[in-house]
């Protein structure tokens, strides 16, 4: 399936609240023609799901165009990208994407129910011939030539989470089984501070994994669920590359900001607009 473009067989709709605003939000995802890519549509404005339309990466990946913005797109895009969808229209009613349970599982389940249709056109791939990297202090994203799309992620968090690692090939089966259900997470003191500032208004113990000083406040789905969610975020952000990565991505303590820098750089390489030298 990864050799050819794909879209949904049927449309689906999901509703819920936004993690950061607490406002009711709705997503209506529809099939799309070949070579049209992933596109968000909100208030009559069409925003391509490409790195150059990222306008903010502070606590979520936010796309924007002509004054219209859509926040927290990474979990939905992780599901779309991880399941191999190439072309889709994503109609959004509200300021952000519904948080669901804080993971990509609800979106993956909806895609599975709607079905995936293979199209006749070949899918564009990004297959680097030499290493690439971007770096910000002790954080880095390294891209290496590879026959398959693989991800290695090293995360280092304050206690009680600590240092965690994940590695594996990325395809729809592995993504849906090993990554999709990993929830967004945070520390109890951070959540309390955000709520005092009027942020994270939609956050609850039902849609985020919260760590108190002595450990998680809910049952974890994996012992290393936080780093799996970081891989989920990376998948959502790398959907903005606009091509399937036939490469290995090594991420060290990276987040939305560095992922955005990396995908913008790699899109330049993909379009032949950058020299072959590495960037830092």
């Amino acid at each position: 399936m990864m050799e050819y473009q794909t879209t949904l067989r049927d449309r689906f709709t999901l509703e819920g609240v936004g993690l950061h605003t607490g406002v009711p939000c709705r997503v209506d995802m529809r099939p799309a023609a070949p070579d049209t890519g992933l596109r968000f549509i909100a208030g009559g404005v069409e925003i391509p799901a490409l790195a150059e339309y990222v306008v903010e990466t502070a606590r979520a990946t936010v796309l924007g165009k002509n004054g219209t913005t859509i926040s927290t797109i990474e979990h939905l895009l992780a599901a779309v990208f991880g399941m191999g969808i190439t072309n889709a229209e994503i109609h959004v009613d509200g300021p952000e994407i519904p948080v669901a349970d804080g993971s990509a599982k609800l979106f993956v389940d909806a895609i599975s129910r709607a079905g995936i249709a293979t199209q006749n056109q070949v899918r564009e791939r990004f297959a680097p011939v030499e290493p690439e990297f971007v770096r910000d202090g002790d954080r880095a994203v390294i891209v290496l030539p590879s026959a398959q799309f693989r991800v290695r992620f090293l995360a280092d968090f304050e206690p009680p989470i600590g240092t965690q690692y994940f590695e594996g090939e990325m395809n729809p089966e592995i993504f849906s089984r090993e990554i999709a259900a990993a929830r967004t997470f945070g520390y109890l003191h951070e959540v309390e501070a955000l709520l005092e500032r009027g942020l994270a208004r939609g956050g609850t113990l039902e849609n985020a994994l919260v760590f108190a000083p002595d450990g998680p406040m809910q049952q974890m789905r994996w012992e290393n669920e936080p780093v799996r969610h970081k891989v989920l975020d990376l998948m959502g952000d790398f959907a903005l590359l606009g091509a399937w990565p036939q490469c290995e991505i090594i991420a060290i303590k990276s987040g939305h900001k560095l992922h955005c820098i990396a995908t913008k750089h790699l899109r330049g390489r993909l379009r032949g607009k950058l020299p072959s030298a590495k960037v830092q």
Side-chain angles (χ1 to χ4, degrees):
M1 184 183 71
M2 310 311 292
E3 296 180 5
Y4 292 91
Q5 296 182 35
T6 60
T7 191
L8 295 170
R9 290 192 182 277
D10 298 303
R11 64 191 288 180
F12 67 81
T13 301
L14 294 174
E15 299 180 351
V17 298
L19 174 62
H20 299 289
T21 62
V23 172
C25 304
R26 183 174 183 269
V27 167
D28 177 13
M29 190 164 165
R30 308 175 187 178
D35 297 323
T36 55
L38 303 174
R39 296 168 294 147
F40 288 91
I41 300 171
V45 177
E46 181 179 298
I47 309 175
L50 296 172
E52 51 265 42
Y53 292 92
V54 174
V55 295
E56 185 180 338
T57 57
R59 288 197 168 271
T61 301
V62 183
L63 297 182
K65 180 182 175 184
N66 298 336
T68 296
T69 61
I70 305 171
S71 180
T72 326
I73 52 95
E74 59 269 18
H75 299 170
L76 172 58
L77 280 187
V80 173
F81 194 51
M83 295 298 285
I85 300 293
T86 312
N87 304 300
E89 287 186 3
I90 308 168
H91 294 254
V92 180
D93 183 7
E96 58 181 320
I97 303 299
V99 65
D101 71 343
S103 77
K105 185 177 186 303
L106 186 66
F107 303 117
V108 166
D109 291 345
I111 291 170
S112 297
R113 288 192 299 269
I116 299 174
T118 301
Q119 298 170 306
N120 292 329
Q121 283 77 356
V122 174
R123 180 172 192 167
E124 186 171 17
R125 292 170 177 256
F126 175 75
V129 296
E130 62 181 8
E132 305 275 356
F133 72 86
V134 294
R135 181 177 178 179
D136 181 13
D138 63 348
R139 305 171 187 270
V141 174
I142 304 161
V143 178
L144 302 176
S146 175
Q148 292 86 29
F149 178 26
R150 296 185 57 84
V151 173
R152 299 176 189 261
F153 205 116
L154 176 66
D156 187 21
F157 305 106
E158 296 177 4
I161 301 176
T163 301
Q164 296 190 350
Y165 178 73
F166 177 90
E167 69 170 300
E169 182 181 344
M170 284 295 114
N171 59 44
E173 180 182 356
I174 293 173
F175 176 81
S176 61
R177 185 181 69 239
E178 302 291 340
I179 300 297
R183 294 162 292 179
T184 192
F185 63 95
Y187 296 91
L188 180 59
H189 67 87
E190 290 180 329
V191 175
E192 292 172 339
L194 288 171
L195 291 173
E196 289 178 1
R197 292 164 52 198
L199 303 174
R201 295 176 180 176
T204 71
L205 292 178
E206 300 299 319
N207 57 35
L209 180 59
V210 179
F211 286 85
D214 58 350
M217 298 178 67
Q218 305 108 300
Q219 181 69 38
M220 293 178 67
R221 294 173 177 173
W222 293 276
E223 184 178 354
N224 65 343
E225 186 172 354
V227 73
R228 289 174 189 253
H229 185 79
K230 295 294 290 184
V231 173
L232 189 157
D233 280 346
L234 182 146
M235 290 288 289
D237 291 337
F238 265 77
L240 303 174
L241 180 61
W244 184 253
Q246 186 178 314
C247 58
E248 180 171 10
I249 299 173
I250 302 173
I252 303 172
K253 300 172 62 174
S254 60
H256 297 306
K257 177 182 177 181
L258 200 56
H259 299 163
C260 176
I261 293 171
T263 52
K264 283 183 177 179
H265 167 67
L266 296 177
R267 276 190 58 73
R269 178 76 72 244
L270 190 66
R271 302 298 175 223
K273 296 179 181 178
L274 289 175
S276 59
K278 306 176 183 67
V279 296
Q280 187 169 345

